[in-house]
Amino acid sequence: MIELARQYGRYGYRRIAALLRDAGWHVNDKRVERLWRREGLKVPSRQPRKGRLWLNDGSCIRLRPEYRNHVWSYDFVHCRTDDGKAFRTLNILDEYSRECLAIKVKRKLNSTDVIDALSDLFILRGVPACIRSDNGPEFVAQAARDWISAVGARTAYIEPGSPWENGYCESFNARFRDELLDGEIFYTLREAQILIEQWKRHYNTKRPHSALGYRPPAPETVVPMDHRPTMH
């Protein structure tokens, strides 16, 4: 438990308990919590709940994902390498499964990069019913809007100044920054790309997700080797 807490410093005892059970330990949350407190480990502070977007007419907009590939969302995150030069990441999520579909890392990202990243995913996974994003210039570029419509997906833009309407991406971005970006020094862009890809793989296949019953969004599947007769 202490080793996992040291390795994943921003995880609380429930997430650590899920990792222990995944590793074969027969422990429940209460026992882990007792040991957690006895060892003086601190539970990360909870994020405040965000409200809904209420319009002037009293109605409330809320597009909820109902199945895999129903709603994807995407957003930018800013960071810097050790030399002070900025880079950006384009994070794309499936809101229903909570799987991170892609993180594109470049010094500069624009609407063309958004189209390139989405087109690769469309080939691999098919076209989602709806794509949610904020109102940044990369997302509202006419070329991107026309392309998304042409391939059969709807665009859903959140209201300006209302990040909670893109809550899935906002939550992911917060975990991404808290668990990786704030704790790493990236000396080169290439190093950032490698470490971010490694974190994405861990997030999808290992990291327990509280909204999924402390299961990872896309756990790895182990295929046993065939039992072949031994040659004498």
Side-chain angles (χ1 to χ4, degrees):
M1 181 189 74
I2 294 173
E3 179 58 33
L4 287 172
R6 184 182 297 116
Q7 185 176 358
Y8 306 112
R10 298 298 298 166
Y11 285 9
Y13 72 87
R14 290 186 180 88
R15 196 160 273 124
I16 294 297
L19 287 175
L20 287 170
R21 287 191 291 271
D22 187 58
W25 293 82
H26 298 288
V27 293
N28 57 35
D29 288 357
K30 288 186 177 181
R31 184 179 182 188
V32 173
E33 183 184 17
R34 286 197 302 272
L35 295 171
W36 181 272
R37 296 187 183 281
R38 191 184 73 183
E39 296 298 329
L41 299 171
K42 294 184 178 179
V43 179
S45 59
R46 294 177 64 86
Q47 293 291 323
R49 291 177 178 265
K50 293 183 174 69
R52 300 187 179 199
L53 173 62
W54 295 95
L55 303 182
N56 291 333
D57 62 359
S59 62
C60 178
I61 296 177
R62 178 68 72 184
L63 173 62
R64 293 190 180 278
E66 298 176 0
Y67 50 87
R68 192 182 296 268
N69 265 16
H70 179 203
V71 183
W72 290 1
S73 60
Y74 55 122
D75 199 6
F76 284 145
V77 170
H78 300 259
C79 195
R80 293 182 182 275
T81 45
D82 189 51
D83 56 10
K85 294 181 180 178
F87 68 85
R88 305 173 86 188
T89 72
L90 173 65
N91 303 340
I92 307 176
L93 305 179
D94 184 309
E95 293 190 359
Y96 182 80
S97 68
R98 310 300 175 93
E99 182 181 0
C100 176
L101 304 178
I103 303 180
K104 191 162 189 173
V105 183
K106 290 182 67 176
R107 291 293 182 188
K108 294 182 179 179
L109 289 163
N110 54 34
S111 57
T112 301
D113 294 304
V114 174
I115 293 174
D116 288 345
L118 288 175
S119 61
D120 289 343
L121 289 172
F122 288 179
I123 293 171
L124 291 172
R125 296 172 175 267
V127 180
C130 191
I131 300 177
R132 191 198 315 259
S133 69
D134 71 10
N135 290 270
E138 294 84 0
F139 300 139
V140 299
Q142 193 61 46
R145 298 184 69 168
D146 291 347
W147 179 82
I148 290 172
S149 298
V151 296
R154 290 193 303 119
T155 55
Y157 294 105
I158 66 172
E159 290 295 309
S162 305
W164 53 83
E165 279 301 307
N166 202 9
Y168 295 94
C169 238
E170 290 293 326
S171 177
F172 174 84
N173 292 346
R175 303 286 78 73
F176 177 46
R177 186 171 293 283
D178 184 46
E179 296 174 12
L180 179 69
L181 299 185
D182 288 349
E184 288 285 351
I185 298 175
F186 304 110
Y187 292 101
T188 65
L189 181 66
R190 182 58 182 157
E191 182 183 27
Q193 291 169 336
I194 292 172
L195 291 177
I196 288 171
E197 180 62 26
Q198 289 176 348
W199 183 87
K200 178 178 78 76
R201 192 177 303 118
H202 169 80
Y203 178 90
N204 283 336
T205 63
K206 299 291 186 183
R207 182 187 184 277
H209 200 301
S210 58
L212 302 175
Y214 290 93
R215 299 280 186 180
E220 290 179 322
T221 301
V222 178
V223 179
M225 294 181 63
D226 294 335
H227 294 288
R228 295 182 174 87
T230 304
M231 298 295 292
H232 297 288

